[in-house]
Amino acid sequence: MTTQLFQRFTLALCAVLLVGTSAAYAEDSKPHLANVMILATGGTIAGTGASSTTTVGYTAATVGVERLIAAVPELAKVASVKGEQVFQIASENMNNDYWLVLAKRVNVLLARADVDGIVITHGTDTLEETAYFLDLVVKSRKPVVLVGAMRPSTALSADGPINLYNAVLLAASADAVGKGVLVAMNDQIHAARDVTKTNTSTLDSFKTTELGLLGYIQGSKPFFYRTSSRKHTAEAEFDISNLATLPQVDIVYGYANMGPVALDAFVAAGAKGIIHAGVGDGSLASRVTPALISAHKKGVVIVRASRVGQGIVARNGEANDDELDFVVSDTLNAQKARILLMLALTKTSNTKDIQRMFYLY
Ligand code: SIN
């Protein structure tokens, strides 16, 4: 090679190296987007109405996950998103079997290195229950966020797209790691254990009334102010990986003139546990107490909850729980107490141990 040729070759090599280095630099400087899976289960967020003003009387669970994602192109800016249709139901039809399928799928996905977080789109009617079930059985600290909508996708000012956007950026956020299963609705972040649906139809239906929401989502950023002090997800003791069913637990609702008919029917139908959502501080009507005692004698675990919606059900307050061998629900509402009791019964029927769980989770 002549000297001239050698110089040209060296210059060309330097140019190639320079271009390569700057391309690599540009690649590195691109922000890394978290991989978020969206698992769709139906609900109003996937609902359609006859017109843009139809906000009641619409059909839930008609729009598929790919269309939900396509409706929010902004998602691509905050995460690398993939969708999966797990089922397509109105959430009044949610049941234990669906929960087991969903929870197993969530655990499989979160065990993968290429999944950083999960969003679950869900009907709002039982969203809080699915959220709490997952809070107790997901075996990961990675974010899991449930989201729904109060208005169908075809409505004027539908809340689904912004709620989905917020949920995805929350699931993609390092700030959400280790916080347990979260609910993102109406620009707010709630803990699965404490949030509840409080209004049949308004956009601000989801509230954590007295214990307080965890934070807000504003300007495409989650802001956290508190965390739940109760154990959840990776720290919880429940394992559903080998379960095909959950024990039957039913709820009896307290009211003036209450009798034992519903309770007796649940026990006859094979209930292993009963949540008694009593009036006030979980009070027991004297017409119902003998039926509860008789159910307990048959091995049914009785949990005293309250229909009031806020506050602690005091152990040995309105009933002598030590003597009756009953459990109290602490601050869990009846529908969430049912979930914890089902999971508790997969491990033990010892009421002292079950009471421990009610004060821990
Ligand atoms: C449902 O829960 O599936 C219907 C109601 C809703 O999503 O708001």
Side-chain angles (χ1 to χ4, degrees):
M1 197 186 285
T2 63
T3 319
Q4 217 180 10
L5 253 180
F6 179 75
Q7 276 172 347
R8 271 197 206 154
F9 175 76
T10 317
L11 272 174
L13 188 67
C14 287
V16 166
L17 281 176
L18 265 174
V19 170
T21 315
S22 62
Y25 176 76
E27 196 60 35
D28 285 352
S29 63
K30 259 209 258 167
H32 167 74
L33 290 181
N35 296 315
V36 173
M37 283 291 300
I38 301 181
L39 303 184
T41 71
T44 293
I45 192 168
T48 45
S51 76
S52 60
T53 51
T54 304
T55 53
V56 289
Y58 53 86
T59 312
T62 56
V63 177
V65 66
E66 294 309 334
R67 265 177 67 199
L68 288 183
I69 293 172
V72 193
E74 295 82 356
L75 293 179
K77 291 190 188 139
V78 293
S80 170
V81 165
K82 285 198 184 119
E84 190 174 304
Q85 194 76 45
V86 189
F87 19 81
Q88 182 71 297
I89 58 168
S91 81
E92 63 266 30
N93 296 319
M94 185 51 69
N95 62 30
N96 297 351
D97 296 337
Y98 284 129
W99 279 342
L100 289 172
V101 169
L102 181 63
K104 286 173 188 174
R105 186 70 189 132
V106 167
N107 278 331
V108 165
L109 288 170
L110 290 181
R112 277 170 34 181
D114 64 345
V115 176
D116 298 309
I118 288 185
V119 167
I120 298 168
T121 61
H122 198 291
T124 60
D125 290 349
T126 57
L127 186 149
E128 64 184 271
E129 293 175 57
T130 300
Y132 188 51
F133 180 74
L134 294 174
D135 201 44
L136 296 172
V137 301
V138 165
K139 297 282 166 217
S140 173
R141 288 171 51 79
K142 292 179 186 174
V144 176
V145 182
L146 273 91
V147 64
M150 296 301 294
R151 291 184 183 152
S153 64
T154 43
L156 280 176
S157 298
D159 51 333
I162 184 67
N163 285 350
L164 182 61
Y165 176 74
N166 283 342
V168 167
L169 70 88
L170 187 56
S173 166
D175 293 349
V177 171
K179 300 269 194 323
V181 174
L182 302 171
V183 172
M185 292 287 290
N186 202 35
D187 295 344
Q188 297 179 338
I189 307 167
H190 300 268
R193 180 188 186 276
D194 302 318
V195 69
T196 195
K197 184 173 182 176
T198 64
N199 187 291
T200 55
S201 46
T202 58
L203 297 189
D204 64 345
S205 178
F206 279 77
K207 298 227 157 62
T208 308
T209 317
E210 287 190 350
L211 296 178
L213 52 79
L214 302 186
Y216 301 98
I217 299 159
Q218 196 187 63
S220 295
K221 202 181 147 24
F223 292 84
F224 278 94
Y225 298 91
R226 66 189 90 248
T227 53
S228 172
S229 63
R230 293 308 176 100
K231 296 247 182 279
H232 54 69
T233 55
E235 292 184 328
E237 63 201 91
F238 308 108
D239 180 8
I240 48 91
S241 57
N242 292 317
L243 294 181
T245 56
L246 292 167
Q248 184 187 333
V249 175
D250 293 296
I251 300 171
V252 293
Y253 194 81
Y255 51 93
N257 202 49
M258 183 188 186
V261 178
L263 170 61
D264 289 342
F266 283 137
V267 174
K272 301 286 178 285
I274 290 288
I275 308 298
H276 179 275
V279 296
D281 192 5
S283 301
L284 309 177
S286 50
R287 283 177 70 204
V288 177
T289 306
L292 288 168
I293 291 170
S294 143
H296 173 264
K297 280 202 183 114
K298 292 180 183 140
V300 179
V301 175
I302 310 294
V303 174
R304 285 197 308 114
S306 169
R307 70 172 194 176
V308 170
Q310 303 296 324
I312 301 169
V313 175
R315 190 169 170 87
N316 297 321
E318 287 295 324
N320 190 333
D321 298 296
D322 289 348
E323 202 175 286
L324 294 165
D325 194 29
F326 291 174
V327 173
V328 288
S329 70
D330 186 29
T331 60
L332 285 181
N333 66 25
Q335 57 271 33
K336 291 189 190 175
R338 189 185 85 86
I339 290 164
L340 181 52
L341 182 55
M342 283 194 301
L343 289 169
L345 287 169
T346 64
K347 295 187 66 97
T348 181
S349 52
N350 180 302
T351 49
K352 283 200 175 49
D353 207 21
I354 294 174
Q355 185 66 77
R356 172 190 66 79
M357 294 173 190
F358 270 86
Y359 285 133
L360 190 63
Y361 296 106

